Amino acid sequence: MPGPGQEGRDPVPDAAVVLFALSRGPCRHGELVDLVGGVSRKVLTQTLRKLQGYGLVERRAYAEAPPRVECRLTELGTTLAEPIAVLTDWARSHGEAIVSFQAEEEEDDRPGQPTE
């Protein structure tokens, strides 16, 4: 069941955000939670497992006390860093336009509004 604010979330953006965060270098799970933001630990774990299954992320456990586990991009995963950075730049530049469009659409969909 999705957490608050995660109803109907599309897993593709979660994966892109995780890949972008990992493009900075290896991270522990808790660090990724902070970097990604807005994604529950459960959704992050599920996303990491899927990315691992695609060969894009590897999980490395170190024999230390306390145990340390890091996630990092595989060689294949690093090939996505540049395209995701370009999409991230685009989203930063055009994000407000999308939010404005969505707000207008929601306003148009309210009951009692004339339809075309």
Side-chain angles (χ1 to χ4, degrees):
M1 186 166 165
Q6 295 179 335
E7 294 82 11
R9 283 185 70 119
D10 187 345
V12 173
D14 290 338
V17 170
V18 170
L19 290 167
F20 183 72
L22 288 174
S23 70
R24 298 174 170 197
C27 288
R28 295 174 79 163
H29 196 274
E31 294 170 322
L32 274 175
V33 169
D34 294 340
L35 278 173
V36 171
V39 176
S40 71
R41 288 181 174 270
K42 179 181 176 181
V43 170
L44 178 59
T45 298
Q46 291 169 343
T47 302
L48 286 167
R49 286 184 183 149
K50 283 184 182 181
L51 293 171
Q52 219 178 331
Y54 298 147
L56 301 173
V57 170
E58 70 178 357
R59 184 177 177 273
R60 185 172 290 175
Y62 295 89
E64 299 175 352
R68 179 170 58 111
V69 177
E70 288 183 341
C71 292
R72 67 181 68 229
L73 294 179
T74 62
E75 189 174 331
L76 180 62
T78 60
T79 65
L80 289 169
E82 186 178 343
I84 290 172
V86 170
L87 286 172
T88 301
D89 290 342
W90 182 90
R92 285 183 183 135
S93 298
H94 301 286
E96 285 186 35
I98 292 170
V99 170
S100 295
F101 178 81
Q102 289 174 329
E104 289 173 16
E105 287 294 305
E106 286 177 11
E107 194 172 294
D108 290 346
D109 289 342
R110 288 193 183 132
Q113 295 291 324
T115 57
E116 294 180 48

